[in-house]
Amino acid sequence: MSEIFLGLGADGERQVLRLGRANRHGLIAGATGTGKTVTLQTIAEQFSAAGVPVFMADVKGDLSGVCMAGSPQFKNAAILESRAKEIGIADYAYADNPAVFWDIYGEQGHPVRTTISEMGPLLLARLMDLNETQEGVLNIVFRLADDEGLLLLDLEDLQSMLAYVGQNGTQLALKYGNVSRATVGTIQRQLLALESQGAAQFFGEPALEIADFIKCDDQGRGYINVLAADRLMRSPKLYATFLLWLLSELFEVLPEVGDPEKPCLVFFFDEAHLLFDDAPKALQDKVEQVVRLVRSKGVGVYFVTQNPIDIPEEIAGQLGNRVQHALRAFTPRDKRAIKAAAETFRINPALDVETAITELKVGEALVSTLDDDGAPSVVQRTLVAPPRSRLGPITAKERAIVQSISPFDGKYDTRVDRESAEEVLAAKAADAAATAQEVEEKGREEVAKQERKSPGLWDGIGGKVAKAAAGAAAASAGSILAQTMQGKKSRASPKASAASAAAGTVADTLGKAIGIPGLGRFARNLIGGLMR
């Protein structure tokens, strides 16, 4: 199978999407109720049959039927069968598809999580609608956490780090820049708003492994990954940010493959306008960059939206495969959209595209795809092929059955909360509070005479320094090993990194122990050289 059958053109020519050109991205557009969702389902199940995994967001809840075979008893079965006969599909038969359900909230599928660190300050700033100053403070928080070796995994970690930065802004100013408590407070309020929308469930571990989206079943069919997005759509910025993060992760993780015979993954971005609504220029530039470059990773990105003018021109110019359903000219903006859509197609002398767009019936579309030589085909008015899977949602019981046979059953379902920034900072605060209380009760001089609660710096090889150094070395080497196992490349040497981590721990502890600020930085290089 080297092509996907889209439908039959008015001239009797088969309209196909070539698998070898499917990574050149595409657009499915049209007004509400014109058949975009059915077209998406038809294309997705054919990609799956060709061994290409698919990711798509189920915004309205009716794409879940892709995992179940259609039925002659379905209310629209006669229409589907009639359409198949009309466009010459002789072997039309109902069939199911391998599917995996995902849900950020963990209610209708496997939970989808990432860590705060993986999301990064740019996307988080977009998610919280921060201004330039607030984004700068967020960058300081990430940099400080990185310098101190503190893990930012969930919202609690970020909230704790923000509180720490706000309390110690004066001491941090010379190295990281000014931080006002008012700015920190504003970011904290935005985090609380995110938490109330359920975003806390999105951040944490176990984090999603992108490779799990790129799998086939034992029959060689690509899994169709369906994200339950009906609830997620109530938080449109979280939805758009999540999909952009996912696209960015694909770009970072996947290797370069050029133009493969077929994509390694096809990504359908429904309600695509949400990604660009009120987005700052920097974010639009990032989207454009990722879309342009992810093609060479073997990923095809298909934007699904009502109006083609919802997509910025820089990105729309990269969408080579187009399926345009009907548009309605009720407003001046609608008329501009129709004109813009008509001008993007390769001219067909036998077709008045601008008029045809307003006359298309449900299940009809204007289709133009890339030929073998990469040139766009002449636009044709097309009867779209019917899907073979069920139209409409599945029941809760059917969803539970599908989930029970998922290849990822049990992998992501239980949340893990390991030690990270929140726990470390809480422990430091508790120690400081206990010491302050003791000083208040016994006096500073009396407390100073007491034996240290922690072992001395050179209290034998089994002391605190040795343990801390060993722990740091193990953590560093373990981190590199984990990255290697996850397919993330690293230029770091496990031996050198472990030595550096241990040296840093010894040097910092030494500096604190003898009361000379900055000695850790001086000693780190010296000790590190001796330990390698």
Side-chain angles (χ1 to χ4, degrees):
M1 182 178 181
S2 61
E3 61 187 28
I4 289 175
F5 179 53
L6 298 178
L8 193 66
D11 61 352
E13 184 179 354
R14 285 167 51 89
Q15 300 298 305
V16 298
L17 172 61
R18 292 165 179 81
L19 288 176
R21 297 294 174 183
N23 66 325
R24 299 301 179 95
H25 310 319
L27 174 68
I28 302 174
T32 300
T34 57
K36 295 193 305 297
T37 301
V38 177
T39 298
L40 191 161
Q41 188 167 331
T42 297
I43 296 175
E45 64 184 25
Q46 291 190 64
F47 270 124
S48 174
V52 178
V54 172
F55 174 88
M56 58 185 183
D58 189 6
V59 171
K60 294 175 290 187
D62 52 2
L63 281 173
S64 58
V66 73
C67 68
M68 306 296 291
S71 168
Q73 283 71 46
F74 183 67
K75 64 179 180 179
N76 290 324
I79 298 175
L80 299 180
E81 294 167 6
S82 175
R83 171 60 61 86
K85 184 177 181 180
E86 184 179 2
I87 63 178
I89 304 180
D91 61 345
Y92 183 75
Y94 297 112
D96 61 0
N97 301 281
V100 179
F101 294 107
W102 303 88
D103 184 2
I104 282 182
Y105 303 104
E107 296 172 351
Q108 302 181 67
H110 299 303
V112 180
R113 302 186 190 92
T114 187
T115 64
I116 292 289
S117 295
E118 288 286 345
M119 178 65 76
L122 176 63
L123 291 184
L124 276 173
R126 151 68 170 168
L127 184 57
M128 293 186 284
D129 200 19
L130 302 184
N131 61 30
E132 187 175 346
T133 301
Q134 294 157 357
E135 184 178 345
V137 171
L138 196 61
N139 276 289
I140 289 174
V141 169
F142 273 77
R143 178 62 182 273
L144 177 62
D146 187 53
D147 289 349
E148 297 295 327
L150 298 175
L151 297 176
L152 295 178
L153 302 180
D154 50 31
L155 281 184
E156 289 84 358
D157 291 328
L158 184 54
Q159 289 167 332
S160 297
M161 279 300 301
L162 280 164
Y164 179 80
V165 169
Q167 292 165 359
N168 299 275
T170 303
Q171 296 92 319
L172 297 171
L174 289 178
K175 181 176 181 180
Y176 297 99
N178 292 329
V179 176
S180 74
R181 291 198 172 199
T183 301
V184 170
T186 300
I187 301 174
Q188 292 281 37
R189 287 196 300 273
Q190 295 295 333
L191 285 176
L192 286 175
L194 277 182
E195 195 170 9
S196 68
Q197 296 174 16
Q201 295 169 273
F202 176 47
F203 295 108
E205 293 184 313
L208 175 70
E209 296 178 24
I210 293 296
D212 287 344
F213 276 164
I214 311 174
K215 291 187 179 296
C216 296
D217 69 357
D218 53 6
Q219 300 178 38
R221 300 178 298 173
Y223 275 103
I224 299 178
N225 299 278
V226 183
L227 175 72
D230 46 350
R231 179 183 170 189
L232 184 59
M233 288 301 298
R234 301 172 201 166
S235 306
K237 281 194 175 179
L238 178 58
Y239 170 73
T241 306
F242 161 71
L243 292 183
L244 178 55
W245 163 80
L246 183 57
L247 203 57
S248 300
E249 283 292 295
L250 288 167
F251 170 68
E252 292 178 9
V253 170
L254 296 178
E256 291 280 341
V257 294
D259 285 319
E261 294 183 358
K262 60 183 180 182
C264 66
L265 177 70
V266 172
F267 186 98
F268 288 99
F269 198 149
D270 203 359
E271 298 293 336
H273 66 279
L274 294 175
L275 182 59
F276 308 105
D277 286 350
D278 303 321
K281 183 66 166 61
L283 189 66
Q284 286 201 22
D285 290 344
K286 180 175 178 61
V287 177
E288 180 189 352
Q289 178 191 41
V290 171
V291 170
R292 184 191 306 115
L293 299 179
V294 80
R295 175 197 63 80
S296 62
K297 306 278 188 171
V299 176
V301 181
Y302 288 73
F303 293 93
V304 184
T305 188
Q306 293 190 20
N307 267 323
I309 60 175
D310 292 335
I311 310 298
E313 290 185 3
E314 297 83 358
I315 296 174
Q318 302 176 47
L319 310 180
N321 303 294
R322 294 171 178 259
V323 179
Q324 176 66 63
H325 287 273
L327 292 174
R328 309 305 181 200
F330 296 130
T331 68
R333 184 176 186 273
D334 293 339
K335 292 179 180 179
R336 291 196 301 272
I338 291 170
K339 183 176 178 62
E343 291 175 348
T344 59
F345 288 109
R346 181 177 171 184
I347 296 175
N348 182 347
L351 180 64
D352 182 349
V353 176
E354 196 167 336
T355 301
I357 289 178
T358 62
E359 297 176 346
L360 293 170
K361 300 176 183 178
V362 176
E364 275 191 303
L366 298 176
V367 173
S368 175
T369 60
L370 296 178
D371 293 332
D372 289 330
D373 59 3
S377 62
V378 172
V379 59
Q380 293 285 356
R381 185 167 180 167
T382 303
L383 292 174
V384 178
R388 298 170 185 257
S389 54
R390 181 190 298 179
L391 288 179
I394 59 176
T395 65
K397 183 176 181 179
E398 290 170 330
R399 185 184 292 269
I401 293 173
V402 172
Q403 282 298 92
S404 68
I405 59 174
S406 165
F408 313 116
D409 184 36
K411 181 173 182 178
Y412 296 105
D413 299 327
T414 303
R415 190 181 186 90
V416 175
D417 187 14
R418 61 186 174 118
E419 185 178 77
S420 51
E422 182 196 18
E423 290 79 11
V424 173
L425 292 176
K428 287 184 177 181
D431 289 345
T435 301
Q437 179 68 24
E438 196 172 2
V439 168
E440 184 178 348
E441 293 175 354
K442 300 180 180 179
R444 184 181 300 274
E445 293 183 1
E446 185 65 27
V447 172
K449 294 177 182 179
Q450 294 179 4
E451 184 179 350
R452 287 194 300 257
K453 295 179 180 179
S454 301
L457 180 60
W458 306 111
D459 287 345
I461 193 64
K464 178 181 178 182
V465 173
K467 291 180 180 178
S476 176
S479 174
I480 294 172
L481 177 61
Q483 290 180 0
T484 303
M485 293 175 67
Q486 293 168 5
K488 296 183 178 180
K489 296 181 179 179
S490 172
R491 296 188 180 93
S493 161
K495 179 181 177 182
S497 296
S500 296
T505 300
V506 174
D508 289 341
T509 306
L510 176 61
K512 293 175 183 176
I514 65 177
I516 303 180
L519 178 63
R521 291 190 296 275
F522 168 78
R524 185 178 292 114
N525 292 332
L526 176 62
I527 299 175
L530 295 174
M531 295 180 69
R532 293 185 184 186

